[in-house]
Protein backbone atom coordinates (compact mmCIF):
# COMPACT_ATOMS: atom_id res chain seq x y z
CA UNK A 1 0.00 0.00 0.00
CA UNK A 2 1.29 3.45 -0.90
CA UNK A 3 1.35 6.00 1.85
CA UNK A 4 1.91 9.69 1.59
CA UNK A 5 5.39 10.82 2.63
CA UNK A 6 5.45 14.01 4.66
CA UNK A 7 7.21 16.93 2.99
CA UNK A 8 10.64 17.19 4.59
CA UNK A 9 11.57 20.43 2.81
CA UNK A 10 10.49 23.71 4.39
CA UNK A 11 8.11 25.68 2.19
CA UNK A 12 9.77 28.15 -0.16
CA UNK A 13 9.18 31.75 0.85
CA UNK A 14 6.93 33.70 -1.46
CA UNK A 15 8.99 36.33 -3.28
CA UNK A 16 7.89 39.89 -2.61
CA UNK A 17 5.77 41.58 -5.21
CA UNK A 18 7.84 43.95 -7.35
CA UNK A 19 7.33 47.55 -6.46
CA UNK A 20 5.54 49.31 -9.31
CA UNK A 21 7.66 52.47 -9.02
CA UNK A 22 10.89 50.46 -9.26
CA UNK A 23 9.62 48.63 -12.34
CA UNK A 24 8.67 51.91 -13.99
CA UNK A 25 12.30 53.06 -13.70
CA UNK A 26 13.84 49.97 -15.29
CA UNK A 27 13.55 51.03 -18.96
CA UNK A 28 15.18 54.37 -18.23
CA UNK A 29 18.13 52.64 -16.53
CA UNK A 30 18.78 50.24 -19.40
CA UNK A 31 21.13 51.48 -22.08
CA UNK A 32 21.74 49.74 -25.37
CA UNK A 33 24.98 51.22 -26.72
CA UNK A 34 24.12 50.60 -30.39
CA UNK A 35 20.58 51.96 -30.26
CA UNK A 36 18.53 50.21 -32.93
CA UNK A 37 21.61 49.21 -34.94
CA UNK A 38 21.84 45.55 -35.90
CA UNK A 39 24.49 43.98 -38.10
CA UNK A 40 23.14 42.97 -41.50
CA UNK A 41 23.73 39.41 -42.62
CA UNK A 42 27.28 39.23 -43.94
CA UNK A 43 28.45 42.28 -42.00
CA UNK A 44 29.60 42.94 -38.45
CA UNK A 45 29.61 45.61 -35.76
CA UNK A 46 32.77 46.02 -33.70
CA UNK A 47 31.49 46.12 -30.11
CA UNK A 48 34.94 46.38 -28.50
CA UNK A 49 38.47 46.27 -29.89
CA UNK A 50 38.84 42.90 -31.62
CA UNK A 51 35.28 41.74 -30.82
CA UNK A 52 32.73 41.71 -33.63
CA UNK A 53 29.01 40.98 -33.46
CA UNK A 54 27.44 39.19 -36.44
CA UNK A 55 23.88 38.07 -37.12
CA UNK A 56 22.98 35.36 -39.59
CA UNK A 57 19.51 34.58 -40.80
CA UNK A 58 17.61 31.39 -40.01
CA UNK A 59 14.77 29.79 -41.98
CA UNK A 60 12.66 29.31 -38.82
CA UNK A 61 10.30 31.29 -36.62
CA UNK A 62 13.44 32.36 -34.76
CA UNK A 63 14.82 34.24 -37.75
CA UNK A 64 18.44 34.94 -36.76
CA UNK A 65 21.38 33.86 -34.63
CA UNK A 66 23.99 36.07 -33.00
CA UNK A 67 27.60 35.11 -33.68
CA UNK A 68 30.90 36.56 -32.51
CA UNK A 69 34.36 36.98 -33.98
CA UNK A 70 37.26 37.45 -31.58
CA UNK A 71 40.76 38.51 -32.70
CA UNK A 72 43.06 35.72 -31.64
CA UNK A 73 46.61 34.50 -31.79
CA UNK A 74 47.73 30.88 -31.55
CA UNK A 75 51.03 29.07 -32.00
CA UNK A 76 51.53 28.37 -35.70
CA UNK A 77 50.81 24.68 -36.39
CA UNK A 78 53.97 24.11 -38.46
CA UNK A 79 56.42 26.87 -37.46
CA UNK A 80 57.91 26.48 -33.99
CA UNK A 81 58.04 29.70 -32.03
CA UNK A 82 55.82 31.60 -34.48
CA UNK A 83 52.44 32.97 -33.45
CA UNK A 84 49.65 33.03 -36.04
CA UNK A 85 47.20 35.94 -36.04
CA UNK A 86 43.58 35.24 -36.86
CA UNK A 87 40.09 34.87 -35.46
CA UNK A 88 38.04 32.69 -33.17
CA UNK A 89 34.42 32.33 -34.28
CA UNK A 90 31.88 31.79 -31.50
CA UNK A 91 29.03 29.88 -33.13
CA UNK A 92 28.84 29.72 -36.89
CA UNK A 93 25.27 29.49 -38.19
CA UNK A 94 23.22 26.86 -39.95
CA UNK A 95 24.60 25.22 -43.08
CA UNK A 96 22.52 26.67 -45.90
CA UNK A 97 23.27 28.78 -49.01
CA UNK A 98 22.45 32.14 -47.43
CA UNK A 99 24.73 31.50 -44.44
CA UNK A 100 27.54 30.39 -46.75
CA UNK A 101 27.09 33.61 -48.73
CA UNK A 102 27.09 35.66 -45.52
CA UNK A 103 30.37 34.03 -44.44
CA UNK A 104 31.87 34.87 -47.85
CA UNK A 105 31.02 38.53 -47.22
CA UNK A 106 32.51 38.31 -43.71
CA UNK A 107 35.67 36.77 -45.19
CA UNK A 108 35.99 39.57 -47.75
CA UNK A 109 34.98 42.52 -45.54
CA UNK A 110 35.68 41.72 -41.89
CA UNK A 111 38.42 39.11 -41.45
CA UNK A 112 41.15 41.47 -42.74
CA UNK A 113 42.80 38.65 -44.68
CA UNK A 114 43.32 36.61 -41.53
CA UNK A 115 42.17 32.99 -41.10
CA UNK A 116 39.67 31.60 -38.62
CA UNK A 117 41.96 29.74 -36.24
CA UNK A 118 39.28 28.00 -34.22
CA UNK A 119 35.53 27.68 -33.86
CA UNK A 120 33.77 27.51 -30.50
CA UNK A 121 30.15 26.41 -30.42
CA UNK A 122 28.00 27.28 -27.44
CA UNK A 123 25.80 24.21 -27.87
CA UNK A 124 25.11 21.46 -30.38
CA UNK A 125 22.17 22.89 -32.31
CA UNK A 126 22.47 23.08 -36.10
CA UNK A 127 22.13 26.87 -36.11
CA UNK A 128 25.14 27.15 -33.79
CA UNK A 129 27.43 24.48 -35.24
CA UNK A 130 26.15 23.79 -38.75
CA UNK A 131 28.91 25.66 -40.59
CA UNK A 132 31.77 24.46 -38.36
CA UNK A 133 32.96 21.93 -40.96
CA UNK A 134 33.15 24.69 -43.56
CA UNK A 135 34.95 27.20 -41.34
CA UNK A 136 37.44 24.62 -40.06
CA UNK A 137 38.34 23.30 -43.53
Amino acid sequence: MLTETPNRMPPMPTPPEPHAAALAEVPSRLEYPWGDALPDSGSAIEVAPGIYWLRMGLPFALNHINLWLLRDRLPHPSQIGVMQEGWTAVDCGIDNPSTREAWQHIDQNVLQGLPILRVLVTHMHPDHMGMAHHLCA
Side-chain angles (χ1 to χ4, degrees):
M1 175 189 303
L2 294 175
T3 60
E4 197 171 304
T5 304
N7 186 356
R8 289 182 169 59
M9 300 279 301
M12 295 292 291
T14 304
E17 289 294 319
H19 191 268
L23 285 178
E25 291 180 30
V26 170
S28 64
R29 293 190 314 228
L30 295 176
E31 288 186 33
Y32 182 64
W34 298 277
D36 292 332
L38 299 172
D40 292 326
S41 186
S43 67
I45 295 175
E46 187 172 21
V47 297
I51 301 174
Y52 288 80
W53 170 31
L54 295 73
R55 282 170 51 116
M56 304 249 174
L58 293 173
F60 313 122
L62 175 62
N63 64 1
H64 72 277
I65 178 176
N66 292 304
L67 312 164
W68 304 93
L69 284 173
L70 314 174
R71 273 303 293 265
D72 205 352
R73 183 173 13 163
L74 294 175
H76 195 282
S78 63
Q79 298 176 17
I80 296 173
V82 174
M83 298 300 285
Q84 184 177 19
E85 296 286 329
W87 298 93
T88 290
V90 180
D91 290 330
C92 50
I94 196 165
D95 185 3
N96 68 10
S98 63
T99 303
R100 287 181 187 199
E101 183 178 335
W103 272 111
Q104 287 177 344
H105 288 280
I106 294 296
D107 185 31
Q108 295 166 0
N109 302 308
V110 179
L111 297 183
Q112 304 164 3
L114 299 171
I116 292 179
L117 300 174
R118 58 181 154 187
V119 174
L120 304 175
V121 295
T122 57
H123 58 281
M124 297 300 286
H125 285 172
D127 55 327
H128 291 261
M129 49 74 71
M131 287 292 292
H133 70 288
H134 177 76
L135 297 178
C136 292

